[in-house]
Amino acid sequence: MSDTIGTVMITQQQINERAAEIGKQIKEDLNGEPVVLVGILRGAVLWMAGIMKNTDLEMTIDFMAVSSYGSAKKTSGVVKINKDLDTDIEGKNVIIVEDIVDSGYTLNYLKGYFESRAAKTVKICTLLDKPEGRKVDIDVDYIGFTVDDRFIIGYGLDYDEKYRNLPYIGILKREVYS
């Protein structure tokens, strides 16, 4: 795989350090109250594990599978829920954990969806924020790193279901996906 990766942007150590900082901030922000972390499958799994390990609060976890991309590289703008929550979030603090915020469509939809299910609070935590791709105005409460508009892979992010297992964030060479 190394011959298809252009550059390592963010190292595993940098990711671990940022997860520790965000975990402490979440604890402070929630004043010791319990939280439900909702990981958006599949990309958020590694980042969510880092946040979990670094957040010293009573915690429940759950997962959702949603898509606004399908098999395309660009969003359709239509959010589809493929797997909903198993946890009742009414009256609970919820943090949506995502791998990357790009267009904002998915998280904007999910935030409203969770609010309609009477969550006490709904916050968003992302490993990567790509503001250049934003189509919808969405506030992200916890951002690991802000990145520019490149094809990014690793640490949960994939291209054609590959590269998720990389322990860092890298840039995929253009010839791989062109």
Side-chain angles (χ1 to χ4, degrees):
M1 285 194 307
S2 62
D3 60 337
T4 59
I5 299 162
T7 314
V8 173
M9 289 178 59
I10 305 166
T11 67
Q12 184 174 15
Q13 181 177 341
Q14 290 171 306
I15 294 168
N16 292 342
E17 288 169 0
R18 189 68 184 122
E21 293 167 0
I22 290 174
K24 288 177 187 167
Q25 187 63 53
I26 290 170
K27 181 181 178 182
E28 288 175 23
D29 291 352
L30 291 179
N31 296 314
E33 291 185 26
V35 64
V36 178
L37 291 185
V38 177
I40 306 305
L41 295 171
R42 300 182 180 126
V45 171
L46 292 176
W47 178 238
M48 185 169 163
I51 296 299
M52 289 171 55
K53 291 186 287 187
N54 287 286
T55 305
D56 186 20
L57 291 174
E58 182 181 318
M59 177 181 303
T60 305
I61 66 167
D62 204 340
F63 295 92
M64 287 186 76
V66 297
S67 177
S68 67
Y69 286 81
S71 61
K73 290 183 267 187
K74 297 225 183 253
T75 182
S76 67
V78 177
V79 177
K80 178 182 175 192
I81 295 176
N82 299 315
K83 184 221 172 288
D84 205 342
L85 294 176
D86 295 319
T87 304
D88 178 13
I89 60 169
E90 184 175 343
K92 297 178 181 173
N93 297 303
V94 175
I95 298 177
I96 304 168
V97 182
E98 182 65 290
D99 57 356
I100 189 166
V101 179
D102 193 358
S103 69
Y105 287 126
T106 301
L107 289 171
N108 187 57
Y109 176 85
L110 288 176
K111 188 167 187 179
Y113 182 67
F114 291 165
E115 288 169 347
S116 76
R117 291 174 70 170
K120 180 178 179 181
T121 62
V122 180
K123 295 184 181 282
I124 297 170
C125 174
T126 187
L127 171 59
L128 302 174
D129 184 27
K130 193 188 288 188
E132 290 176 49
R134 201 75 84 245
K135 305 287 185 219
V136 175
D137 188 31
I138 184 84
D139 290 325
V140 181
D141 303 280
Y142 308 103
I143 298 171
F145 304 91
T146 301
V147 294
D148 56 6
D149 193 15
R150 298 183 186 192
F151 205 109
I152 300 167
I153 43 96
Y155 212 80
L157 288 98
D158 75 301
Y159 171 69
D160 196 25
E161 293 301 323
K162 298 176 187 83
Y163 306 102
R164 289 189 195 277
N165 60 317
L166 296 175
Y168 54 81
I169 302 294
I171 300 170
L172 193 61
K173 287 184 179 176
R174 183 174 297 277
E175 59 264 21
V176 176
Y177 61 90
S178 295

